[in-house]
Amino acid sequence: MHHAIEADGLVKTYGKGAKAVRALSGVGFTVPSGTVFGLLGPNGAGKSTTTKILTTLVTPDSGTAVAGLDVATEPGRVRHAIGYVPQKPCFDPTATGRENVTLQGHVYGMTRADIRARGDQLLERFGLADAAGRVTKTWSGGMQRKLDVALALMHRPRVLFLDEPTTGLDPEARAGMWAEISGVTAADGVTVLLTTHYLEEADRLVIIDRGRVVAEGTPEELKGGLHGDAVQVELADARQQEAARRAVGSVPGVGEITVDGARLHARVDDGAAPLPGLLAALETSGVPLASVTLARPSLDDVYLRHAGRSFHSADTKVAA
Amino acid sequence: MSTTTVPVALRHAGHLTGRSLRILRREPVYLAFTLIQPMVWLLLFGQLFQRVADLPGFGDTSYLEYLTPGVVVMTAMMSAGWAGTGFIDDMQRGVMDRTLTSPVSRGALITGALAYQAVVTVVQSLIVFGVGLLAGARYDGGVAGVLVVLLCATLLAVIFAALSCAVALTLRSQESLIGVSQFLTLPLAFLSTVMMAPALLPGWVGTVARYNPVDWAARASRDALLGDPDWPAVFGRAAMLIALTLVMAWLATRAFRAYQRSV
C-alpha cells in the first residue's frame, strides 16, 4: 500500500548540555494514503514535535520524515503538498474571512479565478460564507477554528496536519467540525494526520509517551485489550501502595493492577460485584482510603495500559 | 537560487506588505499615535530651545529649520523600532507556524515587513515635514532636498525595522523588544546632531556621532535642504545608510534560522 507519511527513528533534543530536553527518542510510523491517522498522548509526549518535523518547521537530530517527499531534502516541494493547522489560531484577526483565504491562495501561487472558486467552495462548505465579509476577530470561536482548517485546505494539499483541531470545542461542535473536515478530505482523497486526545477521531492511532511510540492500532484494537470496568482507588497514604497492591491482588475477579503514586488502578471483570471484597481486603490490611471510583474503559485506561501511567499524571508532570 | 525564486519571493513580499497596509488603512489611529511624539519634539522642543540658534557657531538658520529634518529621521527610527511587534503577534498566534510551513521564503517575510515600514515612513515623514513648514520653517533645497530627506528617513527606518525584527525573532517577547528599542533609540537621537549643531557638540559626542546612523541621516537631510548642498558629502552618508540597510536586512533574515532551531 502507498504511504502518504513515513516517519522513521525520529530523534529531537531541545537545548544543550544539562538543560537539554529529549522530546523524541526514535518515533516511527507509517500512514496509508487517504486515511485519518492519530497521534495520541499527553502534553509533552512528543506529538507536536513530530508534527513540526513532518511539516518542515523543525529539523530532527536524526531519523527520516517523509510527507509525500523527503522533508529534509525537498522542504520546498513538501510545503506545497501539505496543509498545517497549528494548535493556536492562525488566521489574521484584523482581516475578513475572504481576505484571509485570498492571501493564503496568493501564498501558494494560485490564480485569481481559482482563489475565488476554491475560496467560495471552502467558505460555503464550512458554513462561513455569510460571515466572509466581516473582520474575523468578531467571529465566534467555533467559526474561527473552522477558518483555520479552511485556510490549510485552500491549496488542495495531499496531506493535512491538524494539531488538536477540536480541543476546546463542545461535543456538538466537535462532531460538526469532523463532518466538515471529512467531507472535504474524503472528496479530495486527502490523508489526515492529527494529534488528539480523542480515540474515536482517527481510523488508526499511535500512542506516544515520553518521545516513543508505545502502541499502534485502530481505536477498537487499542480498546479491545481492556476487559471489564476500571476501578480507581485513591490511597490516603502513598507509602502504603505495596500493602494495597497485595491486598487487592488477593481478591478474585480483580486483575491488571497498577500503582501510580497514591492511585491504584485495577480491572474488574464483573461490574461492581468484586467491589465489596476489594474494600474488605483493604480494610483487613489496614490501608486507609481517600476514595474509590468505578468506570467504563476510557482513554485514560487505554493510555495507562499502553504507557504504564495515567494520562493525567503524565500531563501534570510535564506542566510542573 | 533558481531564476524563478526571486520573482516569487518578491510577489510574496508584495502580498505581505499589502496585508500590513490593509491593517493600517482599517485602523489609521496607530499612525496618529506614532505622530504624537514628533509633534512634541517639533513644536514644544522647537519653541523651548528657540534661542539655541543664537549661540555663536550654530549657523544662520532658525532652530525650527535646523530641527525639522532631524525630527523627521528621528521619527522614522523610533517608529521603526516597533516593526518586530508584528512578528511577535504572529508567533503568539499560530500565524508564524502556518506561514513557515507554506512556500513563503524567510527573505520574503523580512522584505514584506521592511517594505511596509518604508511606506509608513514616507507618509509619516511627509506629515512631520509639512508641520515643520506650517510652523514657519523654510528651505532653499527644493524638491531634490525633500526627496533626499525622504530617502534618508526611509533607509534609517529600514535599518531599525530590520534590527527590531531580528530582536523580535531572537527574544520573542513584546516587553523585551520594547525595552531594547527604548534603550537604543533615545540615546542614539541625543548622540547625534539632531538637536544641536555639530560645532557645539562636546568632543566625545561628536566622535560617537560620526559612527551613528541617525547622525548620517540627519546631516545628509539637513545638508540636502541647503541652497547649495555639498552633494558628495550627502551621497557619501546616503551610501553608508544603504550599506548598513543591506547588512541589517541580511541579519534579520539570519535571525529566522535561530528562531527555527528553537520552535
Side-chain angles (χ1 to χ4, degrees):
Chain A
M1 188 185 283
H2 179 68
H3 291 132
I5 301 172
E6 291 171 32
D8 187 24
L10 293 177
V11 173
K12 177 70 185 176
T13 306
Y14 288 110
K16 289 194 185 98
K19 283 194 285 181
V21 178
R22 176 61 70 93
L24 298 182
S25 354
V27 165
F29 54 86
T30 56
V31 181
S33 282
T35 60
V36 178
F37 193 86
L39 303 180
L40 188 86
N43 297 329
K47 293 172 300 178
S48 286
T49 302
T50 306
T51 310
K52 283 179 173 174
I53 289 172
L54 287 164
T55 53
T56 77
L57 278 175
V58 169
T59 318
D61 302 339
S62 64
T64 54
V66 177
L69 297 149
D70 193 312
V71 173
T73 57
E74 301 195 76
R77 291 177 65 192
V78 168
R79 287 181 189 131
H80 272 283
I82 63 168
Y84 175 47
V85 183
Q87 233 173 74
K88 291 178 278 186
C90 64
F91 59 92
D92 177 354
T94 60
T96 67
R98 170 73 63 189
E99 286 163 350
N100 266 293
V101 295
T102 304
L103 177 61
Q104 185 76 355
H106 283 306
V107 159
Y108 287 87
M110 295 164 68
T111 65
R112 274 173 203 287
D114 194 21
I115 289 173
R116 184 93 211 159
R118 179 68 170 170
D120 280 342
Q121 184 199 356
L122 288 173
L123 290 169
E124 189 67 45
R125 177 77 228 190
F126 284 93
L128 303 172
D130 291 338
R134 289 197 350 244
V135 173
T136 47
K137 67 179 160 200
T138 66
W139 290 17
S140 74
M143 287 165 70
Q144 293 179 342
R145 199 63 187 143
K146 286 178 184 179
L147 179 62
D148 283 335
V149 179
L151 287 174
L153 288 166
M154 189 65 189
H155 60 290
R156 301 181 184 86
R158 305 301 310 143
V159 183
L160 179 66
F161 292 90
L162 299 163
D163 206 349
E164 298 191 8
T166 58
T167 301
L169 297 183
D170 59 67
E172 199 182 333
R174 206 147 66 78
M177 180 80 145
W178 268 112
E180 279 143 12
I181 292 177
S182 36
V184 181
T185 53
D188 294 357
V190 178
T191 308
V192 179
L193 184 129
L194 69 144
T195 69
T196 182
H197 288 176
Y198 303 102
L199 272 175
E200 66 277 15
E201 285 186 340
D203 301 333
R204 201 174 168 76
L205 305 116
V206 288
I207 294 180
I208 298 188
D209 185 55
R210 288 176 265 216
R212 285 181 191 285
V213 172
V214 293
E216 175 167 3
T218 63
E220 289 67 34
E221 285 166 2
L222 291 172
K223 271 193 282 198
L226 299 171
H227 303 293
D229 297 341
V231 181
Q232 183 177 303
V233 179
E234 193 92 42
L235 304 176
D237 183 351
R239 285 169 299 184
Q240 287 186 298
Q241 49 171 255
E242 271 318 306
R245 185 198 290 274
R246 275 195 303 275
V248 173
S250 68
V251 182
V254 180
E256 291 183 34
I257 301 160
T258 51
V259 185
D260 187 16
R263 267 198 209 118
L264 181 145
H265 302 266
R267 306 231 131 254
V268 289
D269 294 334
D270 188 17
L275 264 191
L278 189 146
L279 291 173
L282 286 168
E283 172 86 42
T284 316
S285 314
V287 179
L289 308 180
S291 73
V292 177
T293 48
L294 181 72
R296 305 291 310 155
S298 67
L299 168 68
D300 224 18
D301 301 314
V302 173
Y303 195 76
L304 179 69
R305 181 182 160 80
H306 295 288
R309 55 182 180 156
S310 81
F311 208 90
H312 292 297
S313 77
D315 242 5
T316 33
K317 265 174 205 149
V318 170
Chain B
M1 193 176 276
S2 81
T3 48
T4 56
T5 45
V6 170
V8 169
L10 284 179
R11 217 173 55 225
H12 282 157
H15 287 301
L16 295 169
T17 308
R19 172 200 156 190
S20 305
L21 286 171
R22 190 178 58 217
I23 298 174
L24 186 66
R25 211 171 53 232
R26 210 157 272 162
E27 301 188 17
V29 66
Y30 289 120
L31 186 66
F33 278 135
T34 65
L35 288 168
I36 293 172
Q37 251 203 345
M39 295 307 145
V40 169
W41 291 113
L42 205 58
L43 301 176
L44 296 186
F45 219 72
Q47 288 287 306
L48 187 64
F49 290 94
Q50 233 172 13
R51 300 286 306 279
V52 167
D54 299 341
L55 290 170
F58 192 88
D60 52 5
T61 58
S62 77
Y63 189 57
L64 183 72
E65 280 159 2
Y66 180 87
L67 188 63
T68 300
V71 171
V72 169
V73 298
M74 193 168 93
T75 305
M77 163 182 69
M78 289 183 170
S79 145
W82 298 88
T85 57
F87 279 152
I88 295 175
D89 282 341
D90 283 356
M91 278 179 226
Q92 283 166 353
R93 299 173 66 79
V95 176
M96 182 66 87
D97 282 347
R98 198 197 64 210
T99 309
L100 291 178
T101 61
S102 80
V104 171
S105 73
R106 284 79 189 123
L109 285 171
I110 295 290
T111 311
L114 299 185
Y116 165 73
Q117 196 60 45
V119 174
V120 169
T121 302
V122 170
V123 175
Q124 271 176 339
S125 300
L126 286 172
I127 295 173
V128 175
F129 201 80
V131 170
L133 291 179
L134 282 177
R138 290 293 174 268
Y139 300 97
D140 301 327
V143 176
V146 176
L147 287 179
V148 171
V149 175
L150 288 180
L151 174 75
C152 290
T154 305
L155 289 171
L156 192 66
V158 172
I159 289 168
F160 279 89
L163 181 66
S164 177
C165 292
V167 171
L169 288 165
T170 314
L171 300 182
R172 273 164 260 165
S173 104
Q174 302 284 25
E175 291 76 13
S176 317
L177 177 61
I178 293 165
V180 170
S181 166
Q182 301 279 355
F183 177 78
L184 267 182
T185 52
L186 211 52
L188 282 177
F190 281 105
L191 293 171
S192 77
T193 59
V194 165
M195 317 273 178
M196 183 55 82
L200 298 175
L201 293 180
W204 71 272
V205 176
T207 311
V208 174
R210 254 186 284 155
Y211 302 98
N212 180 353
V214 182
D215 193 60
W216 305 342
R219 277 184 191 232
S221 300
R222 272 197 317 269
D223 289 354
L225 288 169
L226 295 173
D228 181 24
D230 176 2
W231 286 117
V234 171
F235 287 132
R237 293 206 168 89
M240 292 200 291
L241 287 170
I242 291 172
L244 188 58
T245 302
L246 295 176
V247 171
M248 293 309 294
W250 174 80
L251 197 72
T253 310
R254 291 281 301 186
F256 256 113
R257 297 198 190 174
Y259 169 71
Q260 278 202 269
R261 266 198 296 275
S262 54
V263 286

